[in-house]
Each structure stands twice: as C-alpha cells, then as structure tokens.
Amino acid sequence: MQYLNAFLCGGILCAIGQIFIDKTQLTPARILTGYVVTGVFLEAIGVYGPIAQWGGAGATVPLTGFGSNLAKGVSKAVGEKGWLGVMTGGLTAAAGGIAAAVLFGFLAALIFRPGDKRS
C-alpha cells in the first residue's frame, strides 16, 4: 500500500505541475520554485506532515519535500540558536540532499558532454 500511496502522491504533484505548464505562461523554473515555496508554507501551517505520512517518498522526494525539509530545519535551528538559526537551519537540514545533487551533477558532467547544443 505504501508504494501505491507514494505513486499517487507523486503523480498528483506531477499532474499539477503539468497542468501549470499547459494552462499558464509560467516557466518550468517558476513552477519548480513555487513547489519549494508551497512545501515551506504547508510545513509552516502543519499540513505537510500528514501528507508526507500518507504519501511517503511521493511527498518527500519532490521539491515540495525539499521546501518542507528547509522549513523544519529553520524551525529547529531557531529553537536551538535563536534568530541565527534562520540563516543556518535550512542549509544544515538540506545539506545531504544538496551535497548529493552536486556530486551526481559532477559525475554526470564527467560521463556526458555538457554544453550548449549548436545547430
């Protein structure tokens, strides 16, 4: 059942993004940024936790999960370090994901030939 929930949750998030691409003039970059901000907002009002509990990886892996992770990190750091935690908490909480993205991006650049496509 966990796999089905993850599939449904991730699929719903992807379908919403596709609808935004098809029906609006928003660029994909703006839509992805909106997903991060939505994750932060939903975590701040306490809604994202139950969604992540139900959707599992379908909710925590997409960019909404990244936003939620940032918000949780900031909240925890503010509780421990005061207002200094606003600047450090999000990066501390998301450091593993950011490091993995940089590492895998670097490896992909070594394997494939990155660059502009020339016509």
Side-chain angles (χ1 to χ4, degrees):
M1 195 64 179
Q2 290 177 341
Y3 295 125
L4 178 63
N5 290 350
F7 176 78
L8 290 173
C9 186
I12 289 168
L13 290 172
C14 289
I16 291 169
Q18 189 63 49
I19 290 168
F20 278 130
I21 289 171
D22 291 343
K23 302 292 182 184
T24 69
Q25 296 295 322
L26 294 173
T27 63
R30 288 179 188 236
I31 294 168
L32 296 176
T33 304
Y35 270 136
V36 174
V37 172
T38 300
V40 170
F41 177 74
L42 291 176
E43 182 64 40
I45 63 172
V47 175
Y48 202 78
I51 294 171
Q53 184 72 27
W54 174 79
T60 58
V61 172
L63 285 172
T64 51
F66 179 69
S68 169
N69 193 20
L70 289 174
K72 283 191 278 190
V74 168
S75 177
K76 180 180 175 188
V78 166
E80 293 173 356
K81 300 177 185 177
W83 285 103
L84 180 63
V86 170
M87 302 302 274
T88 61
L91 289 176
T92 303
I98 293 170
V102 170
L103 174 67
F104 292 124
F106 177 72
L107 291 175
L110 290 177
I111 295 169
F112 303 103
R113 291 183 9 175
D116 293 336
K117 292 185 179 183
R118 298 188 181 157
S119 38

